[in-house]
Amino acid sequence: LAAAEELPLRAASLDLVTAFNCVHHFDLGRFLAAAARVLAPGGQLFIYTRTPQQNARTIWGRYFPGFAEREQRLHSEAALREAVRRTPGLKLVDTQTFRHARSSTPERLKAQAEGHHYSTFSLYPPHELREAIASFLGRLAGPEVTWVDEHLLVIAGRSRRDRRRRSKL
């Protein structure tokens, strides 16, 4: 076990590194450097995340009091692109936005908030979370709620040229 910024793996030992809904929990620059170090020449890094803008458009961002405002750890697409660009050995391959229809019931959504399904809920003191849940539930219409979720996929590749140059030194 180790922090994402300190991957205890041999250099150039992986063909693929994935980060699924987690890059907002660690230092992005240090994580990208660690990923670049452990990726083999031609290896790829997949980062699946949500941007602040996408977060604001979720059911939580639209109807849960303070959700989008409290979540300050997410990175914009531009910031992710720039961080990859600044990381020696990595190059941006592609970005894609995924949209998928979601549905749930107010009861399930309440359970998600109470169970801290998203780490953002842990940013609320207990009494504020209870009040926000009550307000959120009052804003939902009907026994089933539908919305569209969005996520961003950032694909970065390990430069082949940089790795060969290092091996000749």
Side-chain angles (χ1 to χ4, degrees):
L1 297 177
E5 301 93 333
E6 302 167 6
L7 299 172
L9 303 165
R10 286 187 333 271
S13 62
L14 299 177
D15 293 321
L16 176 66
V17 172
T18 62
F20 186 85
N21 284 338
C22 59
V23 294
H24 59 283
H25 288 287
F26 28 84
D27 181 283
L28 182 61
R30 289 181 50 223
F31 166 69
L32 292 173
R37 184 186 66 77
V38 301
L39 280 172
Q44 291 192 315
L45 166 64
F46 285 65
I47 299 173
Y48 189 82
T49 190
R50 188 176 276 151
T51 67
Q53 298 80 10
Q54 291 169 329
N55 193 48
R57 291 189 294 264
T58 66
I59 192 166
W60 304 105
R62 289 186 3 240
Y63 299 116
F64 201 93
F67 188 86
E69 297 78 15
R70 287 178 194 251
E71 185 50 82
Q72 297 296 309
R73 302 168 295 180
L74 296 173
H75 306 284
S76 69
E77 181 175 347
L80 289 162
R81 286 173 169 271
E82 178 61 19
V84 169
R85 188 193 66 71
R86 284 192 322 263
T87 304
L90 285 184
K91 64 179 184 219
L92 185 68
V93 173
D94 195 12
T95 60
Q96 290 184 337
T97 296
F98 290 88
R99 292 175 179 85
H100 42 278
R102 302 283 309 270
S103 67
S104 191
T105 65
E107 294 78 24
R108 284 190 296 214
L109 294 169
K110 178 184 179 198
Q112 285 182 318
E114 291 173 340
H116 295 194
H117 178 78
Y118 293 108
S119 61
T120 308
F121 295 124
S122 66
L123 302 175
Y124 288 79
H127 72 282
E128 286 183 30
L129 182 60
R130 284 190 301 276
E131 291 170 5
I133 290 170
S135 178
F136 172 70
L137 294 172
R139 294 174 178 178
L140 301 179
E144 184 168 24
V145 184
T146 60
W147 70 97
V148 175
D149 253 353
E150 297 176 71
H151 286 87
L152 177 69
L153 175 64
V154 176
I155 304 170
R158 176 69 205 183
S159 305
R160 293 179 189 275
R161 182 185 70 234
D162 291 351
R163 184 57 74 188
R164 280 198 303 267
R165 189 179 308 132
R166 284 185 185 167
S167 65
K168 291 180 182 178
L169 296 177

